[in-house]
Amino acid sequence: FYEVMKGMLVKKLKFSTNRSVESCTKKCIPSGPKDLNELNKGESVCVKRCIDKFFSVLELVGSELNDTGMKQ
């Protein structure tokens, strides 16, 4: 049972990560990168902040779920 749940969580995490990258890219690079190898400074900072927010929220949710699981 644990392995099944773990597998489902990994799939959801991958899906969420991919969605956040897509969302941050659309937000920070609306016209698409001009040079596929480099982002300008503003685009780079925007993407970093956006992804950092995603992982901060993910860490908070994980912590809350862990705390809830510990209480049960």
Side-chain angles (χ1 to χ4, degrees):
F1 175 75
Y2 175 75
E3 289 300 317
V4 171
M5 291 301 292
K6 183 178 172 184
M8 288 173 54
L9 287 173
V10 168
K11 284 182 183 179
K12 282 189 169 269
L13 178 59
K14 285 180 182 180
F15 177 76
S16 295
T17 302
N18 289 340
R19 278 193 57 199
S20 71
V21 169
E22 287 177 22
S23 176
C24 291
T25 300
K26 286 178 185 175
K27 175 184 173 206
C28 300
I29 315 167
S31 62
K34 294 158 195 71
D35 179 355
L36 295 176
N37 296 319
E38 288 187 35
L39 299 175
N40 68 39
K41 178 119 174 126
E43 293 167 336
S44 180
V45 169
C46 181
V47 169
K48 183 184 180 328
R49 285 183 182 157
C50 187
I51 296 296
D52 284 348
K53 286 179 187 176
F54 167 75
F55 281 107
S56 293
V57 169
L58 185 63
E59 185 177 5
L60 180 64
V61 169
S63 178
E64 289 294 320
L65 288 173
N66 192 33
D67 289 349
T68 301
M70 298 283 264
K71 290 177 185 176
Q72 293 180 351

